[in-house]
Amino acid sequence: MTDAAVDLDSRPTKIMYVAEATAHGGREGYVTSQDGQLELKVAMPPALGGDGDGTNPEQLFAAGFSSCFHNALVLVGRREGFDLSGSTVAAKVGIGPNKQRGYGLAVALSVSLPVLDQDVASKLVDAAHQVCPYSNATRGNIEVTILLG
């Protein structure tokens, strides 16, 4: 399935890796990856009426986005000659109803670059936001706020 509104410049020119995962039972079941590396119980969080006895899609998205963004940040930093040891990226993913009677997401990324001054850190974060596949996938689709601290 392709989306006609996709920014053609953000699409990959070559697929280098494909991840495969299968959901069993939706938000009250489990997820597995094709290679067996991932097998997790999924449960609705208490805020959405569940018991919270398992992970949920928002936590998985937060883990994916934060690790991917952090990797992009380290890559950009290395290209510019900076060692980003000790840096971290934390993600918060919120879910709630939208105006189309469905649900939408919002993301807040908190970036810590303790060894860099604010101007350099800000430039690296902006560059990482252009490189990160999650940033490119969500740009224009969901609200992504980046906090530099």
Side-chain angles (χ1 to χ4, degrees):
M1 178 168 82
T2 54
D3 183 349
V6 169
D7 175 7
L8 299 180
D9 290 335
S10 70
R11 294 189 319 187
T13 58
K14 175 183 175 185
I15 300 296
M16 298 170 59
Y17 170 74
V18 174
E20 294 181 48
T22 303
H24 309 265
R27 286 181 172 268
E28 295 293 339
Y30 63 100
V31 293
T32 59
S33 63
Q34 174 272 336
D35 63 3
Q37 293 295 313
L38 181 70
E39 186 171 334
L40 298 170
K41 182 178 179 182
V42 180
M44 290 280 270
L48 297 179
D51 63 12
D53 188 27
T55 192
N56 59 67
E58 293 72 35
Q59 287 176 330
L60 296 171
F61 191 75
F65 204 152
S66 63
S67 63
C68 190
F69 193 90
H70 193 235
N71 194 70
L73 187 60
V74 169
L75 174 70
V76 167
R78 190 177 312 131
R79 286 180 183 166
E80 296 295 322
F82 295 101
D83 177 8
L84 300 186
S85 297
S87 63
T88 61
V89 176
K92 292 182 180 180
V93 175
I95 184 172
N98 63 23
K99 292 179 181 179
Q100 286 89 26
R101 297 182 52 157
Y103 289 86
L105 300 175
V107 174
L109 298 175
S110 296
V111 179
S112 174
L113 294 166
V115 297
L116 298 178
D117 71 50
Q118 196 74 6
D119 289 339
V120 171
S122 181
K123 288 177 185 172
L124 292 178
V125 166
D126 288 345
H129 195 41
Q130 299 305 309
V131 170
C132 175
Y134 277 68
S135 293
N136 289 329
T138 59
R139 188 172 292 110
N141 297 310
I142 67 173
E143 179 182 349
V144 176
T145 304
I146 302 176
L147 309 167
L148 182 56

